Amino acid sequence: MDATRVCLLALDLFSSPGWSANEEIRRLYALSNSTSKHYRTIVLSKRNGGERQILAPDYLLKTVQRNILKNVLVHFPVSPFAMAYRPGSTVVHNARPHLHQPQILKLDIESFFENISWLQVWRVFRQTTLPNAVVTMLTHLCCYRDALPQGAATSPAISNLVMLSFDERMGRWCQERRIVYTRYCDDMTFSGEFSARQVRNKAAALLAELGLRLNKRKTAHIPAHKQQTVTGIVVNEKLQLAREQRRLLRQEVHFCRKFGVESHLRRRGLPPESALRYLQSLQGKMAWLLQVNPDDCVFRQALRDVQQMTRQIALPESC
């Protein structure tokens, strides 16, 4: 058995389905040669009214991609400036370094995933000791029409690895100038004392070397006297959600306490039978708020109250 077959079988990309070695190899080649047939397009609505297309792999391809992630990609180092798609890291970790800053510059990479090419993905896998034939097959299994698909299990990790050289060079350049830099997927954030034009030009130049470009419509330069948000979190004085978000959440809890959950839902034109799902949603929002700001005593008590309401509604259903 040649080295290519041995490596492919050792990676166990199908999660031990019980096929013979020949059958498993045959199916891998067939899958890698027709990956576009194993995706379906899902259209999601954006908050700003636009749409985002997600390419969702079917069960077979998703299984293979998850095993590539677990058995190959997880062993690659990730830049400390990359805050997304790494174990234990959240948007909170991305926001915290930018607290109490005189200004914040936010830059966005245009069409991030779809502008990462087949060749760039191949170069990521080429860094391993795997045979060239295996490297090429893994690249095909992780790409859709010669680009990185947004929706594949492997795409987030691969995007971090493609951006590794950019993050290191951009990060060193910023550190030399005492500028704080983090990247969360396609969102780059810079804070400190600097020339916004100089930072923007440097980022654009380094991105151009990767075939990427800035989305000029999403550039934001925010001084300290205005509300500074980083990946949805306000960072002017302390980490917290925006004032309007907190106000609306307090209002929801207040109405539940005052009128009762089912009466409040009727006032909103919602069916009372959705009370349990509604309360669970409220709990999730408050848990997120407390993850951002654990010292918020008002919402700690509000969470306890909503949890009690949830138990009171759920108990009869379980009897």
Side-chain angles (χ1 to χ4, degrees), residues 94-208:
N94 185 57
R96 185 173 289 119
H98 302 286
L99 269 171
H100 309 298
Q101 295 287 358
Q103 62 177 331
I104 283 178
L105 176 66
K106 299 195 291 186
L107 303 177
D108 180 86
I109 304 172
E110 187 171 358
S111 302
F112 181 49
F113 285 98
E114 50 263 51
N115 281 326
I116 294 177
S117 69
W118 188 97
L119 181 58
Q120 289 171 308
V121 178
W122 182 86
R123 286 172 176 163
V124 167
F125 287 113
R126 188 68 186 87
Q127 298 172 49
T128 67
T129 58
L130 296 170
N132 284 340
V134 176
V135 168
T136 300
M137 177 180 285
L138 294 179
T139 305
H140 281 301
L141 290 168
C142 294
C143 287
Y144 174 82
R145 295 180 180 173
D146 296 331
L148 200 62
Q150 184 172 5
T154 44
S155 291
I158 290 173
S159 71
N160 271 347
L161 299 174
V162 168
M163 292 293 290
L164 180 62
S165 62
F166 172 89
D167 287 331
E168 294 302 311
R169 294 171 67 189
M170 191 80 243
R172 283 195 303 270
W173 186 87
C174 287
Q175 286 176 335
E176 290 168 359
R177 293 158 178 79
R178 298 184 179 180
I179 302 170
V180 179
Y181 162 65
T182 62
R183 181 180 61 81
Y184 197 91
C185 187
D186 55 357
D187 294 323
M188 294 176 289
T189 306
F190 305 84
S191 61
E193 292 282 5
F194 54 82
S195 162
R197 175 180 292 182
Q198 186 181 32
V199 172
R200 187 170 56 248
N201 289 344
K202 182 65 177 179
L206 292 179
L207 286 174

Side-chain angles (χ1 to χ4, degrees), residues 254-285:
H254 169 71
F255 287 148
C256 286
R257 288 166 173 160
K258 182 175 181 180
F259 302 111
V261 181
E262 294 182 356
S263 295
H264 169 52
L265 290 176
R266 289 192 187 95
R267 289 164 59 90
R268 289 185 56 188
L270 298 173
E273 55 268 24
S274 66
L276 183 60
R277 187 167 60 252
Y278 167 75
L279 289 173
Q280 290 169 339
S281 174
L282 270 186
Q283 284 187 60
K285 292 176 182 178

